[in-house]
Amino acid sequence: MTFEGFLRYMTSEDCMIFKTEHQTVYQDMSHPLCEYFISSSHNTYLISDQLIGPSHLWGYASALMKGCRCLEIDCWDGPGNEPVVYHGYTLTSKISFMTVIQVINKYAFLVSDYPLILSLDDHCSPKQQEVIADYLTSILGDKLVTSTVHDEMPTELPSPEALKFKIVIKNKKLGTLEETLARKGIDSHGQAGEFEEEESSDEEQDLSHPKQPLLKKRQAHWKGSGPAYKKQRMKKINIAVALSDLVIYAKTRKFISFEESREKQLFYENNSIGEAKARKLAKLKANEFVQHTVRFITRIYPKGTRANSSNYNPQEFWNVGCQLVALNFQTSGLQMDLQTGKFLDNGGSGYILKPEYLRNRDTQFSPYTFTANHQGVHLTIRIISGHQLPPSSLSRTNKADPLVVIEIYGVPEDQTKQHSSVVKGNALCPRWDETFTFNVQVPELALVRFVVQDQLSLTSNEFLGQYTLPLLSMNKGYRQVPLLSKLGVSLHPASLFIHVWYFKQK
């Protein structure tokens, strides 16, 4: 092999840092749905902020092309008996529900064969709910899950493999799954049911869910104070039977407590918890949270004060086994880098099998404490050099002063970062030749992020590029690290040349 041939080999796909075998689906896809992390988006119809930004069909197409497997659709009554999708009680623009489903039908399985979950946030009247049900059945056709496998009452959720090329509706539901199966084949148009649900606390409403008028929020504070009033506050919900009967494996159920769920929650019921409440629960009752997510699908969504569509760190909720950690896909940055990096694994299918200790019903796992049988990893990364790094936006001559930051994201004890030295005035072929070591206690949950920055001053750096991937998806040996822009676009041929080695600690 000539020296030029050797260089070509070292910069080829064969020498990339991401394992080739992880670029296809290699995990066991026959476990129940609740045993997987599922790529999930929040307010998918928005492509900007949450107050005055546009709603656009591209939000759905873009998320699906990024491997997302759970889309959110906020449904409201529209003119002419045509439901619309937008962020309620705001000035965001409106798009037709029918066109949303048409776009979803077109893009649903272009990137992944595995089930797509449509999370409906339904505010429509029963009359327009029936229109929603009709569009779902007529446009999605055989893709839509309208009954259980073999029309028999199951005892656990089906697997991603069993639901390949299927679309699952997640929404509130009247009654039980048994009652739905008993009604199969009967036309339920014109029928509706009502049930009462306890309203969220003031804190939950203000921090987590903005989808109610500000005046109503204020009235809630004025009407009374103290626990006696809070207990009495109930709201009535009307649901069309035709829409309710399309909810098979993903009935939305209000989360009250882990104890209440253990006693009363059914396997096909799931919870949505705002990030503020979920963060408290994850810190105060970590193992109970893990045991809850072993049994039930749990969705986390951003708090309502994130009007600019910013994101929380998803890692803290993956650490306790939450399956649907919903992010604003339209907002780039560290949080979406972690989302993209995590779901590179398993062929970009949008489904990643959770580690055994997040699936075992008798698990004692907590991200804050480790048992003696948990095996950590000793990781060594040598940053050797860079190749054609992107120029600084503040530099016309590519005379950037680059440095590399290696960040580890995982359980709290594994969170760390280390910096290389700065190479002055050379972004074309900087050389560092520096070695960094990390002891990672829970490698199955750890993500490694390489960030290249330009040192502008002693106190500020400019982002040039990054690449994030799961620790256990890293190839060992001499490897190329491709770099991505802030928006997640390839910066080829920009890359880092590194050496990776890791082994299990005794």
Side-chain angles (χ1 to χ4, degrees):
M1 183 183 288
T2 64
F3 182 67
E4 183 183 340
F6 176 70
L7 283 179
R8 285 186 178 179
Y9 171 69
M10 292 304 295
T11 56
S12 71
E13 285 288 324
D14 292 335
C15 290
M16 288 297 167
I17 189 169
F18 192 79
K19 287 182 177 177
T20 306
E21 57 269 33
H22 288 195
Q23 294 176 20
T24 56
V25 175
Y26 68 95
Q27 295 177 344
D28 185 351
M29 302 301 278
S30 62
H31 293 266
L33 284 175
C34 57
E35 298 192 10
Y36 295 83
F37 294 119
I38 304 170
S39 179
S40 181
S41 100
H42 174 250
N43 288 350
T44 319
Y45 47 89
L46 292 178
I47 57 173
S48 183
D49 69 81
Q50 321 232 341
L51 294 178
I52 60 173
S55 303
H56 203 284
L57 296 173
W58 175 243
Y60 290 98
S62 174
L64 288 168
M65 294 307 289
K66 291 175 183 174
C68 184
R69 294 287 86 193
C70 180
L71 309 174
E72 185 177 23
I73 310 177
D74 285 11
C75 311
W76 298 81
D77 281 351
N81 204 33
E82 286 289 335
V84 293
V85 175
Y86 83 113
H87 200 236
Y89 308 118
T90 68
L91 298 177
T92 57
S93 61
K94 301 173 182 178
I95 51 180
S96 129
F97 178 84
M98 178 186 71
T99 58
V100 167
I101 301 305
Q102 287 172 338
V103 167
I104 290 171
N105 184 52
K106 180 178 178 181
Y107 287 89
F109 301 106
L110 291 183
V111 170
S112 171
D113 299 347
Y114 291 97
L116 176 64
I117 300 169
L118 301 187
S119 180
L120 302 186
D121 196 346
D122 176 32
H123 304 268
C124 292
S125 61
K127 186 178 179 183
Q128 295 211 15
Q129 287 175 21
E130 289 193 349
V131 176
I132 287 173
D134 288 342
Y135 281 140
L136 289 171
T137 50
S138 63
I139 296 171
L140 300 179
D142 292 342
K143 297 188 184 96
L144 185 66
V145 172
T146 57
S147 184
T148 56
V149 179
H150 307 306
D151 296 331
E152 296 171 355
M153 185 60 202
T155 55
E156 64 177 11
L157 288 172
S159 68
E161 190 66 35
L163 292 178
K164 257 186 167 181
F165 302 110
K166 291 292 184 181
I167 296 177
V168 176
I169 302 301
K170 174 182 169 298
N171 193 24
K172 292 184 172 70
K173 179 178 180 64
L174 295 168
T176 65
L177 184 53
E178 289 95 330
E179 290 167 352
T180 296
L181 294 176
R183 277 195 299 269
K184 186 165 174 60
I186 300 172
D187 183 12
S188 54
H189 279 71
Q191 298 179 37
E194 180 182 274
F195 67 87
E196 282 192 330
E197 183 179 82
E198 185 182 344
E199 284 197 9
S200 303
S201 68
D202 291 342
E203 179 194 13
E204 272 187 89
Q205 289 175 336
D206 291 344
L207 287 180
S208 300
H209 223 296
K211 295 169 187 174
Q212 61 164 334
L214 189 59
L215 180 61
K216 277 192 182 177
K217 286 185 186 176
R218 287 179 179 160
Q219 285 172 345
H221 289 291
W222 295 334
K223 279 185 180 176
S225 59
Y229 169 68
K230 284 189 179 181
K231 283 180 185 174
Q232 296 169 0
R233 202 166 62 193
M234 304 291 285
K235 60 180 177 181
K236 291 183 178 179
I237 300 170
N238 289 302
I239 297 183
V241 175
L243 181 57
S244 172
D245 283 354
L246 295 181
V247 180
I248 305 297
Y249 293 121
K251 176 184 178 180
T252 301
R253 184 182 197 274
K254 181 173 174 58
F255 176 78
I256 297 170
S257 69
F258 295 132
E259 296 79 11
E260 196 269 350
S261 289
R262 277 198 300 272
E263 292 173 13
K264 298 181 180 179
Q265 191 161 336
L266 302 170
F267 71 89
Y268 56 86
E269 295 178 323
N270 61 79
N271 309 117
S272 286
I273 309 176
E275 65 163 296
K277 183 174 184 179
R279 189 172 290 116
K280 284 182 185 176
L281 291 170
K283 288 180 179 175
L284 298 175
K285 300 183 176 183
N287 180 248
E288 279 192 81
F289 209 150
V290 170
Q291 292 187 350
H292 180 81
T293 58
V294 165
R295 292 167 172 80
F296 309 112
I297 290 179
T298 304
R299 181 176 185 267
I300 309 298
Y301 57 90
K303 59 188 178 184
T305 51
R306 295 185 182 275
N308 61 348
S309 295
S310 62
N311 282 313
Y312 53 76
N313 183 343
Q315 187 68 50
E316 58 186 317
F317 303 117
W318 291 328
N319 288 344
V320 289
C322 295
Q323 297 87 346
L324 301 173
V325 180
L327 296 184
N328 294 301
F329 270 47
Q330 74 273 31
T331 306
S332 58
L334 163 65
Q335 296 82 3
M336 269 306 293
D337 292 345
L338 297 179
Q339 158 78 24
T340 302
K342 185 173 188 69
F343 286 98
L344 283 175
D345 199 4
N346 204 30
S349 63
Y351 283 82
I352 295 172
L353 186 63
K354 296 197 286 185
E356 192 275 337
Y357 48 80
L358 292 178
R359 298 186 279 119
N360 180 354
R361 292 208 168 201
D362 299 319
T363 184
Q364 295 302 308
F365 176 78
S366 163
Y368 298 98
T369 55
F370 309 114
T371 55
N373 59 4
H374 214 90
Q375 212 166 23
V377 158
H378 181 80
L379 171 66
T380 301
I381 298 176
R382 181 176 153 214
I383 303 289
I384 300 171
S385 62
H387 178 65
Q388 293 191 32
L389 300 181
S392 164
S393 62
L394 304 177
S395 165
R396 294 181 180 176
T397 58
N398 202 18
K399 296 288 184 182
D401 300 336
L403 71 149
V404 181
V405 185
I406 305 173
E407 302 171 344
I408 308 289
Y409 293 88
V411 297
E413 191 170 321
D414 290 340
Q415 301 265 132
T416 186
K417 65 170 70 174
Q418 296 189 39
H419 298 246
S420 75
S421 59
V422 177
V423 175
K424 291 290 184 181
N426 184 359
L428 188 65
C429 52
R431 186 177 179 91
W432 291 277
D433 218 4
E434 297 175 33
T435 301
F436 305 89
T437 59
F438 305 88
N439 288 313
V440 182
Q441 300 295 327
V442 187
E444 299 88 354
L445 292 174
L447 298 170
V448 183
R449 184 172 184 250
F450 297 88
V451 188
V452 180
Q453 299 175 344
D454 174 24
Q455 187 183 60
L456 301 178
S457 68
L458 291 175
T459 57
S460 68
N461 297 333
E462 185 195 5
F463 174 93
L464 295 181
Q466 69 83 32
Y467 188 74
T468 307
L469 77 166
L471 188 157
L472 298 181
S473 292
M474 292 172 69
N475 271 316
K476 296 178 181 177
Y478 290 97
R479 299 293 166 184
Q480 290 284 335
V481 180
L483 293 178
L484 306 176
S485 72
K486 265 184 182 171
L487 297 175
V489 178
S490 171
L491 293 170
H492 182 79
S495 62
L496 297 175
F497 185 52
I498 68 172
H499 183 271
V500 178
W501 195 255
Y502 55 90
F503 57 87
K504 288 184 178 178
Q505 297 169 333
K506 294 181 180 178

